[in-house]
Amino acid sequence: MSRTATVVGSGPNGLAAALALARAGLEVTVLEAADEIGGGTRSHRPFTSADLLVDHCAGFHPMAVGSPALGDLQNYGLKWVWPEIDCAHPLVDDAAGLLHRSVEKTATGLGSDGRRWKRVFGYPSSRYGKLSTDLLGPVVHVPRHPWLLARFGAPTALPAATLARLFTTPQARALWIGAAAHAMRPLTEVFSSAIGAGILTAGHHNGWPVAEGGTSAISQAMHHALLDHGASVQTGTTVTSRADLPTADVTLFDTSPTAVTSILGEALPSATRRSYGRFQYGPAAFKVDIAVRGGVPWSDPRVAKAGTVHVGGSADEIVTAEADVAAGRMPDRPFVLVGQQYVADPQRADGDVVPVYAYAHVPAGLDIDITEAVIERMEQFAPGLRSRVIETVTTTPNSFSAGNANFVDGDILCGASSPTQLLLGPRPGRDPYRTGTPGHYLCSAAAPPGPGAHGMAGLNAARRALHDLNRH
């Protein structure tokens, strides 16, 4: 008799888990509450004034390129494309900091900080192929490359604001702090360097590409691969209790820990219920999709060639803004991450009207409209932007959570990147994927290695499930 698996949720981790199980010969069913698969890896055309393709959430994928969870998806239509400049960080009255895939080219643009930049990121990025086998699994494990992991990990224990003092130029300090701010944590906190270091190391190895045709191309490619392996994907199917789950040998949850507790209830061991009950969610994103005629008029024209733009001003401004957000205060000058995906993938534009997405880090559950504040923040580095805007579409924190239950109060990372959760995941122990209930596993971005379109939490959980099945 064929062994069976149910996967609840069709974000990149759920699809990756389902694909690994289907390739192992299990009969797999994926249950998705929304009418469309993909979770954070979706794209849409939200504008009425122009035919523009916009990514819903995940937009750039330095850790997805070469991910074992995505495997041979190029055979199913997935194609990566790269911007000329991976990331830019504009500054007031100064040249922007520019991040290139090449460590050497990036260092050349950082003047006196070039040697320091190479010292921090050169060695680990050149060996990322080996390093990633340790970075993309649980934090607590026996490392395959202990010396390399130690070399990478030593500076990540530092607060990002402390590590920034290594650099003296405003460009290098801003590039570093802008990357570290992806953690959406106070940058004076220990281990707040970890996510930024991971992004930059992977980016210097892989670049910061986009998926041609939108981030949804990732989930669509996985969907096609699943169908090839006989899996079933059911949309519009909500799971709220054990009664909604089909009988299966293994069940994996691409959901928040809170949802697992709600669904399994007393079937979860009390220790797991306590751990999941203590699980913390982080700040929110407030997203503004902008239709811009002629592109954003950046003061430094080189920024127009960058796929990602960190709009946050100086390193000190970003540290202050992220501290405010973590404390539940809306900052006067928020950190805004801007996506210019059309630079690498021109088909997303409509003539001279281009799609720009911009999301600000804001307190969880923020219920006020800050569209004007986001545009005003961008205008500080791109005077005249407002005159080029022909339409905006906003996604508030509440809209994020309404459209994706994993995004609690607008937390698009599916959990706070606190020191405890970075090290231990959603529950203490070496195995963050097992729930403690036999045959049931957590495979979402709440588990290591965390958020992104790489799908590795899904693959790791699926491997654990297959290992347990084969023991019995």
Side-chain angles (χ1 to χ4, degrees), residues 119-345:
R119 188 181 304 148
V120 176
F121 300 112
Y123 184 84
S125 64
S126 69
R127 289 156 179 79
Y128 181 75
K130 290 183 177 180
L131 181 62
S132 64
T133 61
D134 287 315
L135 292 184
L136 296 178
V139 175
V140 181
H141 72 289
V142 178
R144 296 185 184 182
H145 306 284
W147 189 89
L148 181 58
L149 183 61
R151 167 69 173 75
F152 167 83
T156 67
L158 293 172
T162 299
L163 192 57
R165 296 173 192 160
L166 179 67
F167 305 111
T168 58
T169 64
Q171 289 80 11
R173 287 169 57 85
L175 278 180
W176 160 243
I177 286 292
H182 282 245
M184 298 176 77
R185 293 296 297 173
L187 298 174
T188 53
E189 187 176 73
V190 293
F191 290 105
S192 57
S193 292
I195 288 179
I199 291 172
L200 288 171
T201 299
H204 275 313
H205 187 271
N206 297 327
W208 290 28
V210 303
E212 187 175 64
T215 291
S216 60
I218 301 172
S219 49
Q220 291 301 323
M222 284 197 277
H223 187 202
H224 294 321
L226 279 169
L227 295 181
D228 257 8
H229 286 83
S232 170
V233 180
Q234 301 175 16
T235 57
T237 305
T238 302
V239 176
T240 59
S241 70
R242 296 191 76 191
D244 298 324
L245 293 171
T247 301
D249 293 297
V250 293
T251 300
L252 283 75
F253 295 91
D254 183 12
T255 69
S256 68
T258 305
V260 177
T261 301
S262 178
I263 293 167
L264 294 183
E266 295 298 318
L268 273 180
S270 57
T272 302
R273 290 201 306 273
R274 287 194 297 272
S275 293
Y276 286 3
R278 291 192 297 265
F279 188 79
Q280 296 178 342
Y281 297 94
F286 185 105
K287 183 166 180 277
V288 184
D289 292 310
I290 313 170
V292 183
R293 190 175 301 281
V296 179
W298 301 107
S299 296
D300 186 334
R302 298 174 302 169
V303 178
K305 300 177 183 179
T308 303
V309 184
H310 291 157
V311 175
S314 69
D316 289 343
E317 283 184 86
I318 298 172
V319 170
T320 298
E322 295 302 283
D324 283 343
V325 169
R329 300 185 298 267
M330 182 62 209
D332 293 332
R333 296 183 174 182
F335 177 79
V336 179
L337 191 148
V338 175
Q340 300 181 140
Q341 290 92 325
Y342 69 91
V343 172
D345 189 15

Side-chain angles (χ1 to χ4, degrees), residues 364-423:
L366 183 78
D367 60 359
I368 59 173
D369 189 334
I370 62 162
T371 300
E372 287 303 309
V374 170
I375 294 176
E376 180 180 349
R377 188 67 166 132
M378 292 176 65
E379 270 218 324
Q380 289 181 294
F381 308 94
L385 167 63
R386 196 180 303 275
S387 66
R388 298 190 181 193
V389 173
I390 63 174
E391 188 179 352
T392 61
V393 176
T394 63
T395 307
T396 67
N398 290 335
S399 297
F400 270 122
S401 57
N404 188 331
N406 286 8
F407 295 164
V408 176
D409 287 334
D411 173 10
I412 61 175
L413 301 185
C414 195
S417 302
S418 65
T420 301
Q421 289 184 182
L422 276 174
L423 293 174

